Amino acid sequence: MPTQINDRLARARLLAHVTKARKGGDMSEDWDGAEYLESKEDIYLYLRACFDEAGTDSSLITLALAEIARSKGLAEISRETGIARASLNNALSGEGDPSLATIALILKSLGMQLTVKQLRP
């Protein structure tokens, strides 16, 4: 892999780890990963790393999607998904629990989709 891709992947993994630490209360709430998501590839790598880091903790995915929404612009995602901005903001809040349909719509607005893969034994 070229160095630039390795660096971006490492940064995405670090951001995912920091997001998990922040969610767990181990970091300042002032830190915002949104400022590090500069391109579609950054968003993709970060979200993949968050899914890997989350395990069964869906609230980490919600937090990651909230950071991505801030980096891209909540109004733009609202327009692209057809979800009212207030509803989107509520779903991605710390207390929100977005439905699978909402997550799928957000991912589609980012040019992504959910997929399933078989785990190796």
Side-chain angles (χ1 to χ4, degrees):
M1 249 189 259
T3 302
Q4 183 179 15
I5 292 174
N6 280 337
D7 291 348
R8 291 179 112 160
L9 184 57
R11 181 174 67 172
R13 287 182 179 147
L14 178 61
L15 285 174
H17 185 70
V18 170
T19 299
K20 184 175 184 180
R22 186 170 69 107
K23 182 190 128 345
D26 298 332
M27 280 193 70
S28 166
E29 289 292 319
D30 294 337
W31 187 88
D32 188 4
E35 65 187 75
Y36 299 97
L37 303 173
E38 300 168 353
S39 69
K40 284 185 176 189
E41 184 179 7
D42 289 339
I43 291 170
Y44 166 72
L45 292 172
Y46 170 63
L47 197 51
R48 265 188 63 190
C50 284
F51 268 93
D52 289 345
E53 188 84 25
T56 60
D57 183 2
S58 63
S59 65
L60 181 61
I61 302 307
T62 301
L63 180 58
L65 288 172
E67 290 181 342
I68 291 166
R70 281 193 305 280
S71 77
K72 186 173 180 187
L74 200 57
E76 183 178 340
I77 291 178
S78 174
R79 183 177 35 77
E80 291 176 359
T81 60
I83 301 170
R85 186 175 174 164
S87 296
L88 193 57
N89 197 36
N90 186 46
L92 298 178
S93 73
E95 292 80 42
D97 188 14
S99 69
L100 185 57
T102 298
I103 292 171
L105 284 169
I106 293 168
L107 290 175
K108 185 176 180 184
S109 78
L110 298 170
M112 297 178 221
Q113 68 180 14
L114 284 174
T115 61
V116 176
K117 71 177 184 179
Q118 188 172 14
L119 296 175
R120 294 184 182 148

